[in-house]
Amino acid sequence: MKIKIHRGANQIGGCITEIESAKGDKILIDFGHNLPEGDEKAFDKFENTNALREVLRRVSDVYYTHYHGDHIGFEYEIYKAGVTQHIGDLSLEMMKTLKKHMLKADSLKASATESLEALEHFKIYSAASTERVGSISITPYYVSHSAIDAYMFLIECDGVKVLHTGDFRDHGYMGGGLEKNIKANIAPQNVDVLITEGTMLARDREKVPTEWDLQEQAIEVMKSHKYAFVLCSSTDADRIVTFKATQRTDPKRLFVVDSYQGAQIMNIKNKLNVIYNSLSFNNISKHFDELLPIMVQNGFTMLVRNSSTFERLIAAIMPKIELSQTAFIYSQFSGYIDVNHATFRQSTYNFVHKYDWEIFQIHTSGHASCQALTKVCNWVHPSMAIVPIHKEKGTDFARLKLKSDLKGRIVAQSTKLQKQIDGQTVEVEIEIGE
Ligand SMILES: [Zn+2]
C-alpha cells in the first residue's frame, strides 16, 4: 500500500492525504484550500484544473474529516471530475447553510451556486460505521474540534491499519470522549500508522485554556459590562455554548444572533440535542425594532461577524447604549488582529477597533495541545510510523514526551516500511510531499 502526503507535511491547512492499495484503489482524505494570508486569499496551485486533475487521477472517493475551509474547498471541481465525496450529515447541512447564505453576496454567488450543486451529490458517513471503497475500508470516529461533526478515520488497506486524526482537541465540551474512543475502539485494533495533526507543536509552552475556562472569563466580563458584542465563528458550536453561558449571571440578558447564525444553531440543535439543546436565541435580523428596547433595558450578548450588515446593526445600537458598559469580545486567533503577526487582517482589526469600547480577547485553540498530541500518540501506539501533518515547517514531534519506542517511528521524509502478515511481506510506502 502507499500513503502520500500531497500537502500538509510542512504547513497548517490545505492538507491532502492519499491512500492507495496494492490493487490500485485510491482515496483522498481532505482536499482544502491553503489558509488565507492576512486579508488576501492565499495562492493555491489547485486553482489550476490540470494540477487538481493530476492529484485526482485514479481517485474514486474523497473523505472529508470536517467542514473547515482548509479541509474542503474544491468540492465543485472534484464533483466535476466524477469523484464521490463523503462527509458527516451535520457537516453537510452546515455547508449548505453557509453556501445558501453566500448566495446573497453578488461576488460569492457564482461559486456558492456551484458548491451547492456539488453538495447535492455528497454521500454521508456515520460514526463507527465502516464503508468500503474497493479494497480499502474506512471507519469514521467522532472527535471534538472547533468544527462540530468532525471525525478521525481508521483505514484498513492491504492488512495495514492507518489512523488519520484530522483536526482534534481534548479541551472542548466533547473532548472527554477522545480517550474513551481511542482506548475502547481504536487502540485494540492495533494501528500500524498514525497520521496526526500537529498544529500546536510550535506552541508547546502555552497553557491551553478549556472552553469551561472561557465561560468563566466571559462571565467575569459580563458582570461589569451590560452589553457585549462577540466576534467568533458562527459554526463553532462549543464557542457559541460558551458565550450563551453568560446568561447564567442574568437570565434576562438577551442572547442575540442574526438569521445566518440562527440557522447554523438550529442545524446543531436538530442533530445534537444533548449538549447543545440550551442554545435558544433572539434573531436580530427578523426582529430588530422589537428587540432593541429590550436589549437596551436587559443587556445583551450579541454574536457578530465582520460584515457590512453587522456594521449597520452595530451603528444603530451604539447610540442607544452606554459605551462604558459595552465590551467587544474578540474570540478568534490573536494573530489576525496583531499588526506584527504574519496573519494580520486589517479589515478584522478595523472592525474590532471601530468604537472606543473595551476590548477583551477570550479564545482557545481548536487544535490538540502538545499534551493531547503526546497522549494520543502513546494511546494509539502505532507499530510502524507516526506521520505528522497540518503543522508548521520546522516543528518536530520528537520534542513531545513520546514513549521511547515511538520516537524512532516519526516519519518526516519519504520512506518504505514493511509489515509481516501471515508470513507475507507487505510494503508500506510513505511519500512525504509539501
Ligand atoms: Zn479544522
Side-chain angles (χ1 to χ4, degrees):
M1 72 164 302
K2 185 173 173 186
I3 297 167
K4 181 170 179 180
I5 310 301
H6 281 277
R7 190 161 70 176
N10 290 301
Q11 66 175 58
I12 293 174
C15 292
I16 306 165
T17 303
E18 175 185 304
I19 309 278
E20 184 178 6
S21 72
K23 282 189 181 152
D25 298 313
K26 206 195 251 193
I27 63 168
L28 298 180
I29 311 296
D30 289 339
F31 201 138
H33 262 284
N34 281 332
L35 286 167
E37 289 160 1
D39 287 321
E40 305 298 320
K41 197 177 165 195
F43 167 79
D44 197 310
K45 66 180 181 186
F46 297 118
E47 303 277 355
N48 176 317
T49 309
N50 289 339
L52 180 114
R53 293 271 168 132
E54 181 58 30
V55 174
L56 291 176
R57 215 152 47 90
R58 293 192 294 105
V59 168
S60 62
D61 297 68
V62 180
Y63 279 79
Y64 296 107
T65 55
H66 62 290
Y67 53 71
H68 278 157
D70 60 324
H71 293 257
I72 175 167
F74 295 93
E75 62 276 12
Y76 181 68
E77 294 78 5
I78 294 172
Y79 155 65
K80 280 286 170 193
V83 174
T84 309
Q85 300 174 85
H86 307 254
I87 201 163
D89 63 345
L90 177 52
S91 291
L92 184 59
E93 285 308 313
M94 292 178 83
M95 293 268 314
K96 285 180 180 172
T97 300
L98 171 67
K99 301 298 175 181
K100 282 177 193 160
H101 176 65
M102 286 165 62
L103 286 177
K104 293 177 191 153
D106 286 341
S107 60
L108 304 173
K109 203 172 183 167
S111 72
T113 305
E114 288 181 350
S115 184
L116 279 165
E117 185 187 340
L119 292 172
E120 283 307 318
H121 295 84
F122 267 49
K123 292 201 166 159
I124 287 165
Y125 57 68
S126 305
S129 171
T130 302
E131 310 205 340
R132 295 200 71 87
V133 177
S135 50
I136 304 172
S137 73
I138 306 110
T139 313
Y141 290 99
Y142 182 82
V143 282
S144 171
H145 179 43
S146 47
I148 191 81
D149 206 35
Y151 295 84
M152 45 176 68
F153 295 128
L154 184 64
I155 299 152
E156 187 166 1
C157 175
D158 301 340
V160 176
K161 288 193 177 156
V162 179
L163 180 69
H164 187 298
T165 65
D167 293 353
F168 71 97
R169 64 176 182 173
D170 68 352
H171 54 278
Y173 296 123
M174 311 273 258
L178 183 71
E179 180 172 5
K180 263 186 258 168
N181 219 348
I182 290 180
K183 288 188 172 170
N185 300 318
I186 296 168
Q189 302 200 47
N190 301 320
V191 171
D192 297 299
V193 178
L194 171 63
I195 302 171
T196 173
E197 73 132 307
T199 318
M200 297 280 280
L201 269 180
R203 290 150 67 182
D204 60 347
R205 282 186 186 84
E206 250 175 61
K207 162 141 177 43
V208 179
T210 66
E211 288 292 332
W212 289 276
D213 294 336
L214 300 196
Q215 267 195 30
E216 298 312 316
Q217 291 172 23
I219 286 166
E220 276 310 304
V221 171
M222 304 305 167
K223 280 182 189 163
S224 51
H225 295 82
K226 190 174 176 185
Y227 312 112
F229 298 102
V230 179
L231 180 59
C232 69
S233 160
S234 301
T235 58
D236 181 348
D238 280 8
R239 193 57 49 83
I240 295 169
V241 168
T242 292
F243 287 107
K244 170 75 182 169
T246 57
Q247 279 180 319
R248 281 211 319 248
T249 50
D250 177 7
K252 288 213 295 287
R253 184 182 187 110
L254 297 192
F255 186 69
V256 181
V257 305
D258 80 334
S259 288
Y260 168 65
Q261 289 157 338
Q264 293 293 28
I265 290 172
M266 289 313 295
N267 284 333
I268 296 162
K269 278 173 65 119
N270 288 342
K271 300 275 177 187
L272 294 169
N273 56 8
V274 183
I275 288 200
Y276 302 102
N277 201 31
S278 66
L279 286 174
S280 58
F281 55 85
N282 288 105
N283 184 335
I284 196 161
S285 326
K286 279 194 182 153
H287 307 289
F288 182 81
D289 292 337
E290 302 98 287
L291 278 179
L292 186 58
I294 311 170
M295 287 167 66
V296 172
Q297 195 178 352
N298 293 9
F300 62 83
T301 300
M302 176 172 158
L303 305 188
V304 299
R305 294 188 305 282
N306 177 14
S307 71
S308 54
T309 308
F310 275 101
E311 276 186 7
R312 280 196 300 277
L313 285 169
I314 294 170
I317 296 167
M318 286 306 286
K320 308 280 185 196
I321 60 177
E322 268 303 321
L323 186 63
S324 63
Q325 293 184 57
T326 305
F328 189 96
I329 298 178
Y330 177 76
S331 186
Q332 293 181 331
F333 178 52
S334 60
Y336 300 153
I337 56 165
D338 175 356
V339 263
N340 297 315
H341 200 275
T343 59
F344 176 67
R345 296 176 179 176
Q346 186 70 52
S347 72
T348 310
Y349 180 90
N350 293 348
F351 183 68
V352 174
H353 291 270
K354 177 104 182 175
Y355 297 88
D356 204 12
W357 42 37
E358 204 173 344
I359 298 168
F360 298 86
Q361 291 204 35
I362 299 181
H363 182 59
T364 192
S365 176
H367 295 276
S369 63
C370 287
Q371 291 85 343
L373 290 175
T374 306
K375 283 191 276 190
V376 165
C377 290
N378 288 337
W379 289 334
V380 175
H381 203 263
S383 65
M384 297 174 79
I386 295 175
V387 184
I389 60 168
H390 205 280
K391 68 174 197 47
E392 285 178 55
K393 195 173 182 167
T395 54
D396 189 351
F397 265 56
R399 69 202 293 175
L400 300 177
K401 291 191 183 78
L402 303 183
K403 288 183 181 164
S404 53
D405 56 340
L406 290 179
K407 293 236 175 198
R409 293 178 199 161
I410 300 164
V411 173
Q413 282 166 353
S414 300
T415 186
K416 282 182 185 167
L417 304 167
Q418 289 181 339
K419 182 183 178 185
Q420 298 297 322
I421 303 173
D422 301 330
Q424 304 268 346
T425 302
V426 175
E427 184 163 277
V428 181
E429 184 182 351
I430 302 175
E431 187 180 336
I432 307 290
E434 292 173 42

